[in-house]
Amino acid sequence: MKKRTVDLVVVSDVHLGTYGCHAKELLNYLNSIKPKTLILNGDIVDIWQFRKRYFPKSHLKVIKKIISFASKGTEVIYITGNHDEMLRKFSDTQIGDFKLVDKLVLELDGKKAWFFHGDVFDASIQNAKWLAKLGGWGYDMLILLNQFINWFLVRMGREKFSLSKKIKNSVKKAVKYISNFEAVAAELAVNNKYDYVICGHIHQPQMREYVNKNGTCLYLNSGDWIENLTSLEYHDQRWQMVHYENKLYEVFEEKPEETEELIISPETLISHINIAKQIQR
């Protein structure tokens, strides 16, 4: 199989070590590409929910593939997230072509790209970590239940169904949280003169351009390998969202007439100023 050469690939929220992780599909995707730079934007190994009795070979093969990339000339940059926060004590470590960081700024064809996982915006993680961990366990169980349901649906000749997506889309607070997350990240990026801001964390793949009185920025989220099976690719000065299951490639074309005005209250922005300072350090 001929591999595609890609300048930059962003993968996040793989959650190796959990029942919901689609490690085999991720390995197939990684085997199909030859990236110059691979950015792992947090929650790659789920240390929160790590179980000695559950870490199958397919999960180990993903780790082996990542190491193989680094040993064969691909620059691999691991940005820590909340589920792998224990690695933050080793931040700014570099071994050969492998780097471990908490945040990252790159210049891509003359434009500044700001990468971070995004858990810094999550109040439940900042103030009640036990609640966030309990939620993570519940989410993993929901995904496991969903797999059994989809097994029966497929056998009956029906389409698969996502319980978690249904819940997210039907709960107003969840929809508002995602909207606020995107708005705050984009607002901070615009105000700090970044052309791109690339996050993970919320498992919501997105490519969207924002504009306010201070300028514009492209907000990108690489999604996850639990439900959406998505990654971001940057090549030939163009961003693409890759969907593994249906092999769709969504291309973002930067057209001013398609930009959307960024609407965010001053109170919401002010509440995130201290967090923004932490990210920028």
Side-chain angles (χ1 to χ4, degrees):
M1 179 178 63
K2 187 176 181 180
K3 298 185 179 183
R4 293 184 297 109
T5 299
V6 187
D7 291 335
L8 175 70
V9 173
V10 184
V11 172
S12 70
D13 299 275
V14 177
H15 293 274
L16 292 170
T18 65
Y19 295 117
C21 172
H22 286 266
K24 291 180 180 178
E25 290 83 352
L26 176 57
L27 185 61
N28 288 339
Y29 168 68
L30 294 176
N31 282 332
S32 73
I33 57 175
K34 187 178 180 181
K36 295 178 182 177
T37 301
L38 172 64
I39 295 179
L40 305 168
N41 200 0
D43 289 0
I44 304 303
V45 178
D46 198 322
I47 298 175
W48 274 11
Q49 300 178 76
F50 182 79
R51 307 173 184 86
K52 289 183 179 179
R53 65 181 182 276
Y54 187 78
F55 206 90
K57 289 183 179 179
S58 59
H59 294 216
L60 289 170
K61 286 180 179 179
V62 170
I63 295 176
K64 184 178 179 181
K65 181 62 183 180
I66 292 169
I67 295 172
S68 175
F69 273 137
S71 66
K72 294 179 180 179
T74 294
E75 182 182 27
V76 178
I77 304 173
Y78 192 131
I79 302 173
T80 55
N82 51 299
H83 283 254
D84 44 24
E85 64 179 353
M86 289 179 66
L87 297 176
R88 286 176 175 164
K89 67 178 75 173
F90 306 108
S91 290
D92 300 321
T93 296
Q94 180 170 354
I95 303 174
D97 284 324
F98 180 88
K99 297 178 184 177
L100 182 69
V101 298
D102 293 333
K103 56 188 177 297
L104 177 70
V105 175
L106 292 179
E107 185 172 305
L108 302 175
D109 298 305
K111 294 186 176 182
K112 291 175 68 177
W114 187 27
F115 299 81
F116 60 94
H117 182 63
D119 58 293
V120 70
F121 295 139
D122 199 326
S124 66
I125 293 172
Q126 300 298 319
N127 303 317
K129 191 172 292 183
W130 67 269
L131 184 61
K133 289 184 177 181
L134 181 62
W137 179 85
Y139 177 73
D140 198 29
M141 292 300 101
L142 180 65
I143 294 297
L144 184 60
L145 173 62
N146 203 166
Q147 289 178 353
F148 283 108
I149 292 173
N150 283 334
W151 183 81
F152 282 108
L153 288 174
V154 170
R155 285 183 67 87
M156 291 187 293
R158 301 179 64 179
E159 292 185 1
K160 291 182 180 180
F161 177 77
S162 175
L163 282 172
S164 59
K165 285 184 180 180
K166 183 69 175 178
I167 293 170
K168 286 178 186 177
N169 293 334
S170 61
V171 178
K172 290 183 178 179
K173 284 188 177 180
V175 174
K176 184 179 179 182
Y177 170 76
I178 291 171
S179 178
N180 285 344
F181 180 97
E182 294 176 354
V184 170
E187 177 80 6
L188 291 171
V190 170
N191 291 344
N192 287 280
K193 309 302 181 185
Y194 292 111
D195 299 287
Y196 309 123
V197 57
I198 302 93
C199 303
H201 186 56
I202 58 174
H203 295 205
Q204 190 75 15
Q206 183 65 275
M207 294 192 299
R208 195 172 185 180
E209 189 167 27
Y210 286 89
V211 59
N212 68 11
K213 62 182 180 180
N214 295 317
T216 65
C217 102
L218 181 61
Y219 166 85
L220 302 115
N221 195 301
S222 47
D224 66 280
W225 285 83
I226 301 291
E227 300 173 75
N228 297 292
L229 280 64
T230 52
S231 69
L232 287 165
E233 294 183 357
Y234 179 82
H235 191 70
D236 288 339
Q237 303 182 38
R238 188 170 64 175
W239 284 100
Q240 289 188 138
M241 179 73 70
V242 178
H243 297 254
Y244 175 82
E245 283 196 324
N246 47 18
K247 297 181 181 178
L248 286 179
Y249 294 78
E250 294 179 6
V251 181
F252 184 85
E253 301 286 353
E254 296 189 59
K255 298 178 181 178
E257 65 272 17
E258 294 182 358
T259 60
E260 179 177 332
E261 184 178 359
L262 179 62
I263 301 174
I264 181 171
S265 68
E267 292 80 8
T268 302
L269 181 59
I270 290 172
S271 69
H272 290 85
I273 291 298
N274 289 333
I275 292 175
K277 289 179 179 177
Q278 292 176 22
I279 300 174
Q280 293 164 1
R281 284 176 189 155

